[in-house]
Amino acid sequence: MDQKSLSSLVETWLQWDQDPRTRAEIEHLRDTNDENALELCLRNRIEFGTAGLRGRMAAGFSCMNSLIVIQASQGLAKYIRTQRPEIAAKGIVIGYDARHNSRRFAELAANAFIALQIPVYFFSQCGPTPMVPFGINHFEAAAGIMVTASHNPPQDNGYKVYSSNGAQINRPEDGEIAQSIRDSLEPWPGAWDELQPGKYLHADAYENIILSYRARVKEHALSSIPSWKDLSSFVYTPLHGVGGLVLPDVCNSLEVHDFLSVPLQSAPDPEFPTVKFPNPEETGALDLAIQTADQEGRTLIIANDPDADRFAAAEKVNGEWFLFTGNHMGVLLGSHVLDSLTSEGLSKATLLTTTVSSSMLEKMAKSKGAQFQETLTGFKWMGNVARDLERTGKTVPFAYEEALGYMFPSVCYDKDGITAAAVFLVAYAKWRSQGLTAQAKLQQLFGEFGHHETLNNYFRSPSPHLTVELFRGIRSGPFLASKTLGPFKILRWRDLTQGFDSASSDNKPDLPEDSTSQMLTLWLDGGVRFTIRGSGTEPKVKFYIESCGASRDDAVKAVCETFLTILTEWVQKYTPSMNHSSRLSTSSGHILDMEK
């Protein structure tokens, strides 16, 4: 927290900010003596955290705006020039999506690197997020920036940072960059200038890599199948994002032609006018695609989120639409990848997923003779773990997380909704040739590895203090000592906040601990595992419950009992003012109506 007087903060902002819109916002608040609003936007600084910055676009140090982008870029440029001088000359890749201000933010970012004579590979047009990590490896660059807020609402934007290995930055690099930003807050001369041609600006980066990216996606997708005949007829929606600028060309290169883009959602539009939230996970996000598919007699829908790093699909089976969850798609794609590997390839392969994703991928990998590794949540972990494994001679053909993110490292080391769509279409054709729908293939996998049912949702936490109170109550309760939680027996207790795991010989977890966050994972009898954690970016306590049973009904029953136990034994007992959604849907569509 900045200890300066409020008037000093206003003066500093107006001294540094040269954007007329955000200057006018602060001037209006000053002139109307709105001290509360000024405190909110100036007192606390937006946190440089998971892979960078993300937040609402508005004036002030707590929001996303041009000054914040300049400061972040100066700090990153200075970090690369001083801490990594041996690779600074390799340059940085800068891309952006179609959101409001994305191109302007990208241009301001470029100025900072050019000021320190660091070459900039600048995208001439908006494009998908995965093209930036792909571009880092293509150009052998020192770093990358993608200006995007992914699937956030239209008033948000963000600033995503990648390291020289093409993966999102992680510890301790993120903290070092954050400190460099704090040391570089005053805008440098020329920071606000329009981006100009010059020796250090390569403004044709997009044109240089788009053909290579599309070719690599095609090559990767077709490498997983011995012979190819398209059996797809589908509707596609990019949800007003940039996926529509790339995926149709990828489909055409695969000789996939029988598809229809949702007309009202096919072109980039930063207002996202037809959806409440431009996230294919959200209820209602695919309604227009479903309506289009029904009108056109199509039974398959594929979707990207606005920056095309996530992928989703839905299939009409027996007259009803089935929306695949991230875990469903993860095991479907994982099965296809495993089936495509030779015995030698399987012996070298390691598949990855996060601690809050389904355990089913581990069972599938080990049944085929491949290795499996669990990581913390987010692709900043999976991308870097994949790189580490490759240095030991291993291969990582596939990784995924439950939030519709899928990584194929032979293309890039981040989630990639374009490649995921291409691989899915190839896999879908294979399943159809075997007489299976994608949903039938999923049921076949459940029959082999047990029916896995998941319930991922959240409790709304009014304050970080309340979140800490909840976890303090859980840890001080009798549960770990008695090894019971309501009707369940606790088989294993892992606390990554305190660095404890009851299953290891030294009680140390095999995943990194983090005392700054709250995260517990419990394994219960009856095939149940769940994680509860405090969100780092939202006022929420998130939970992820999974049960494996002999039937769907058994698995759903266990998931529901686990949720009710968490609610009554933990949330209502230790934080009775914490709210939860009254309608929770399991992954198979079961609706649980439970008022607090």
Side-chain angles (χ1 to χ4, degrees), residues 4 35 56 91 104 139 141 157 170 216 227 236 301 377 457 463 499 529:
K4 294 180 181 178
E35 294 188 357
R56 181 174 61 91
R104 177 59 175 157
F139 293 117
N157 215 325
N170 203 347
R216 188 71 194 102
S227 60
Y236 169 61
I301 292 169
T377 56
N457 213 290
S463 69
R529 181 188 71 165

Side-chain angles (χ1 to χ4, degrees), residues 556-571:
V556 168
K557 180 181 178 182
V559 164
C560 295
E561 288 179 351
T562 303
F563 169 76
L564 288 171
T565 300
I566 295 170
L567 179 64
T568 57
E569 294 289 328
W570 285 359
V571 176

Side-chain angles (χ1 to χ4, degrees), residues 369-499:
Q371 300 297 308
F372 170 84
Q373 188 165 329
E374 183 185 51
T375 76
L376 292 180
T377 56
F379 281 86
K380 69 175 185 178
W381 292 102
M382 285 190 285
N384 284 288
V385 167
R387 280 298 207 182
D388 292 342
L389 287 168
E390 288 173 348
R391 281 193 287 271
T392 68
K394 297 286 186 180
T395 63
V396 180
F398 177 64
Y400 93 93
E401 68 175 1
E402 50 78 36
L404 301 180
Y406 315 97
M407 182 176 78
F408 303 87
S410 70
V411 179
C412 73
Y413 291 86
D414 197 14
K415 54 183 174 290
D416 182 349
I418 301 295
T419 303
V423 173
F424 174 77
L425 290 173
V426 169
Y428 184 78
K430 180 184 70 175
W431 300 326
R432 295 298 290 168
S433 70
Q434 298 168 349
L436 296 171
T437 63
Q439 201 266 355
K441 177 62 179 179
L442 179 65
Q443 297 306 316
Q444 185 184 82
L445 292 171
F446 283 158
E448 185 174 356
F449 298 101
H451 189 99
H452 289 66
E453 192 68 40
T454 59
L455 175 60
N456 303 337
N457 213 290
Y458 60 88
F459 302 101
R460 189 167 294 280
S461 176
S463 69
H465 172 74
L466 194 65
T467 299
V468 172
E469 280 296 307
L470 171 62
F471 282 90
R472 182 182 294 123
I474 294 169
R475 293 188 179 101
S476 62
F479 314 104
L480 179 58
S482 67
K483 297 183 178 180
T484 58
L485 176 61
F488 294 98
K489 180 180 179 182
I490 297 173
L491 304 180
R492 180 182 174 188
W493 177 293
R494 185 174 68 193
D495 186 340
L496 293 181
T497 307
Q498 297 190 340

Side-chain angles (χ1 to χ4, degrees), residues 316-347:
K316 196 171 189 178
V317 180
N318 297 325
E320 299 289 335
W321 282 99
F322 182 88
L323 277 63
F324 296 95
T325 67
N327 282 319
H328 290 156
M329 188 56 63
V331 299
L332 281 170
L333 292 175
S335 168
H336 174 71
V337 169
L338 288 166
D339 287 345
S340 70
L341 295 175
T342 64
S343 57
E344 182 181 358
L346 287 166
S347 66

